[in-house]
């Protein structure tokens, strides 16, 4: 059996379109995966608060990480020990407390189970304490696994270098997606350095005279969690306290300003362009008076609520010790806001088990691609209108099949592979005229070719002489006579 050149041309076109379809299908794989992720996010929107797509894994499955509120937004209570006038004078002889008062307070916090302590107090005095007192305060503070001293910052025309112990706090530039130019800027620290000998870090708390750090209570929004110090993005105290509680580092933080803050794979929080997060409804801190922390030891007497206080301190993610910057009868508002922020972070969106969308089996992909391409090549035997109709049906059928596989079988396949294969066949049909059938019926093509007249005049056809073109074969010519 001899194969006609036309048949061989069609087979070659089918093979080329098949190969280009697979190649171009994987070239257009990212937008294909994006469409599947978008559809999956919409289907999971009613079940989870947030869904973060993570692309393909090693098995070519689309991975989506859903997040929901951790423990329904309810977290462990966060105590604040505020050394304002009323609280301080309940346990100490002077107000503001002297260095040894802080030594006693830190010692009793540690003995009652507190683990992470963050001090939002100046820790400076009119008379500088001697070296023994400094060492005593620092020793008691250094016993906590995580501790830090809060420092106020300000924005100035005189740019001070980044404090040496803050360099390891900077968020890597690769972890910041988008522009962070609306985060508040800080250039220098405010006030004197704490007058004690300690290994505790210093952390930025608020930028002085910046209204973003004093939001209205009705706004239900935190102060900014980041500041821009030169070219570095530095987390403030509430975020560092949450990172310590989650056993994370600043390198585990991913920032999308105006969208989301990711804390490793443990938390996902909505973030505005200023670096603020919404405060949870039930995020108010628990106020502790100093007399509830400092347990009397004389004559072995203990308050009746010692067990409750110990349980609170030992289970807290952080304990804040604050002293208002000015003489005050009420707790420090910035310390209370920092505690609310920490609780909101700890009770924010937490990851649920990942959702996987596997790729369709290989034999399913091949069946879809081959069937669509065979139909597209078969359309070449039709005229222009018929071709367009069949090619259009082929292209429209692909997303319908993809939707069926996704909605019924929870699988996906490279949609653009059959689509680009059909487009390759269509392009070839336009560029190469010998792929276009004659104007007559394509089924009669061979009969018309077989009935043509040979060049030598032999065969079924007979060519009459030019002068007898209209003469019948047996007709006798009638002579012509002129009139006389």
């Amino acid at each position: 059996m001899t194969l006609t050149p036309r048949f061989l041309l069609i087979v070659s076109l089918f093979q080329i379109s098949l190969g280009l379809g697979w190649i171009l299908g994987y070239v257009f794989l990212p937008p294909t995966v994006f469409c599947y992720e978008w559809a999956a996010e919409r289907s999971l929107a009613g079940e989870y608060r947030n869904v973060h797509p993570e692309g393909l894994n090693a098995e070519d499955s689309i991975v989506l990480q859903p997040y929901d509120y951790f423990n329904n937004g309810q977290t462990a209570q966060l105590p604040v020990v505020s050394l304002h006038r009323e609280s301080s004078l309940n346990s100490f002889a002077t107000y503001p407390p002297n260095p040894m008062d802080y030594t006693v307070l830190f010692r009793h916090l540690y003995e009652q189970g507190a683990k992470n302590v963050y001090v939002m107090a100046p820790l400076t005095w009119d008379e500088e304490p001697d070296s023994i007192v400094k060492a005593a305060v620092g020793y008691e503070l250094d016993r906590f696994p995580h501790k830090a001293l809060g420092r106020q910052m300000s924005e100035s025309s005189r740019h001070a270098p980044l404090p040496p112990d803050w360099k390891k706090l900077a968020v890597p530039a690769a972890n910041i997606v988008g522009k962070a130019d609306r985060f508040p800027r800080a250039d220098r620290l405010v006030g004197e350095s704490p007058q004690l000998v300690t290994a505790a870090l210093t952390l930025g708390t608020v930028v002085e005279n910046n209204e973003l750090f004093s939001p209205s209570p009705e706004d239900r929004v935190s102060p900014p969690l980041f500041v821009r110090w030169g070219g570095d993005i530095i987390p403030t105290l509430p975020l560092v306290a949450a990172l310590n509680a989650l056993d994370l580092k600043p390198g585990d933080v991913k920032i999308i300003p105006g969208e989301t803050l990711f804390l490793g794979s443990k938390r996902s929080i909505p973030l505005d362009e200023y670096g603020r997060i919404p405060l949870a409804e039930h995020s108010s801190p628990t106020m502790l008076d100093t007399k509830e922390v400092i347990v009397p030891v004389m004559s072995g007497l203990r308050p009746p609520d010692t067990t409750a206080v110990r349980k609170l301190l030992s289970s807290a993610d952080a304990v804040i010790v604050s002293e208002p910057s000015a003489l005050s009868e009420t707790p420090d508002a910035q310390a209370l806001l920092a505690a609310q922020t920490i609780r909101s972070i700890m009770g924010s969106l937490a990851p649920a088990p990942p959702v996987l969308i596997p790729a369709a089996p290989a034999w399913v992909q091949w069946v879809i691609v081959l069937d669509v391409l065979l139909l597209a090549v078969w359309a070449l035997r039709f005229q222009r209108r018929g071709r367009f109709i069949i090619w259009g049906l082929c292209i429209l059928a692909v997303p319908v099949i993809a939707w069926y596989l996704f909605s019924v079988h929870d699988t996906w396949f490279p949609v653009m592979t059959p689509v680009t294969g059909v487009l390759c066949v269509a392009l070839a049909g336009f560029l190469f005229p010998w792929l276009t059938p004659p104007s007559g019926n394509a089924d009669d093509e061979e009969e018309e070719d077989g009935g043509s007249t040979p060049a030598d005049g032999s065969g079924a056809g007979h060519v009459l002489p030019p002068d007898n073109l209209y003469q019948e074969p047996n007709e006798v010519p009638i002579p012509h006579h002129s009139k006389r």
Side-chain angles (χ1 to χ4, degrees), residues 81-414:
V81 181
S82 178
L83 297 175
H84 58 283
R85 181 185 296 273
E86 180 181 355
S87 175
S88 181
L89 291 179
N90 282 336
S91 302
F92 305 128
T94 61
Y95 175 73
N98 61 44
M100 290 307 298
D101 294 335
Y102 275 100
T103 303
V104 174
L105 178 62
F106 292 151
R107 181 180 183 85
H108 284 80
L109 283 174
Y110 181 80
E111 289 180 349
Q112 297 205 61
K115 299 180 180 65
N116 306 326
V117 173
Y118 301 90
V119 184
M120 297 179 64
L123 293 182
T124 57
W125 298 271
D126 294 337
E127 294 184 5
E128 185 173 352
D130 58 35
S131 57
I132 297 178
V133 174
K134 289 181 181 181
V137 179
Y139 170 79
E140 296 296 341
L141 182 60
D142 288 342
R143 297 171 73 184
F144 298 101
H146 294 290
K147 61 272 181 184
L149 304 176
R151 295 291 303 274
Q152 289 191 1
M153 303 165 287
S154 70
E155 183 179 354
S156 173
S157 58
R158 298 182 178 180
H159 305 299
L162 186 70
D165 56 350
W166 285 20
K167 292 183 180 180
K168 60 183 177 183
L169 297 176
V171 178
N175 293 10
I176 304 173
V177 181
K179 295 183 178 180
D181 53 354
R182 306 195 73 174
F183 288 179
R185 188 167 68 91
D187 298 315
R188 66 182 182 89
L189 297 175
V190 176
E192 300 179 18
S193 299
Q195 297 174 344
L196 68 160
V197 180
T198 177
L201 283 174
T202 59
L203 297 174
T205 54
V206 299
V207 176
E208 193 177 51
N209 300 325
N210 190 314
E211 59 182 9
L212 292 175
F213 287 88
S214 300
S216 172
E218 293 78 17
D219 293 341
R220 302 298 301 172
V221 66
S222 75
L225 300 182
F226 303 93
V227 294
R228 293 179 296 127
W229 193 299
D232 296 309
I233 301 298
I234 307 297
T236 55
L237 184 144
L239 179 55
V240 175
L243 291 177
N244 289 337
L246 295 171
D247 196 23
L248 297 175
K249 303 295 182 183
D252 301 318
V253 174
K254 181 179 179 181
I255 307 171
I256 307 179
E259 292 187 20
T260 312
L261 168 65
F262 294 100
L263 304 182
S265 60
K266 299 184 178 183
R267 294 290 186 274
S268 168
I269 315 169
L271 187 75
D272 69 8
E273 63 272 20
Y274 300 104
R276 303 177 299 182
I277 64 171
L279 293 177
E281 294 183 3
H282 308 288
S283 59
S284 298
T286 301
M287 299 300 302
L288 284 182
D289 195 283
T290 51
K291 67 181 180 181
E292 299 178 86
V293 178
I294 300 175
V295 181
V297 293
M298 295 183 64
S299 68
L301 297 178
R302 292 179 179 269
D305 61 346
T306 298
T307 303
V309 173
R310 180 183 295 273
K311 182 177 180 181
L312 171 62
L313 291 172
S314 60
S315 63
D317 295 315
V319 177
I320 293 180
V321 176
S322 73
E323 179 187 332
S325 55
L327 299 180
S328 175
E329 301 290 338
T330 59
D332 182 22
Q334 292 292 348
L336 300 182
L337 188 57
Q340 284 184 283
T341 303
I342 297 171
R343 286 199 70 185
S344 298
I345 296 174
M346 298 304 298
S348 61
L349 302 177
V355 176
L356 301 180
I357 305 175
W363 69 268
V364 173
Q365 299 186 40
W366 276 105
V367 167
I368 295 173
V369 174
L370 292 177
D371 286 350
V372 171
L373 270 184
L374 286 172
L375 188 58
V377 172
W378 178 70
L380 291 172
R381 70 190 305 274
F382 295 96
Q383 295 298 324
R384 181 183 296 268
R385 180 178 298 177
R387 292 183 178 191
F388 280 141
I389 293 175
I390 296 176
W391 288 336
L393 291 175
C394 289
I395 293 176
L396 291 176
V398 175
V400 173
I401 297 173
W403 174 83
Y404 171 78
L405 291 175
F406 175 74
S407 59
V408 177
H409 299 284
D410 294 327
T411 59
W412 74 280
F413 81 101

Side-chain angles (χ1 to χ4, degrees), residues 478-484:
I478 300 174
H480 177 71
H481 300 282
S482 61
K483 295 180 181 180
R484 290 276 177 119

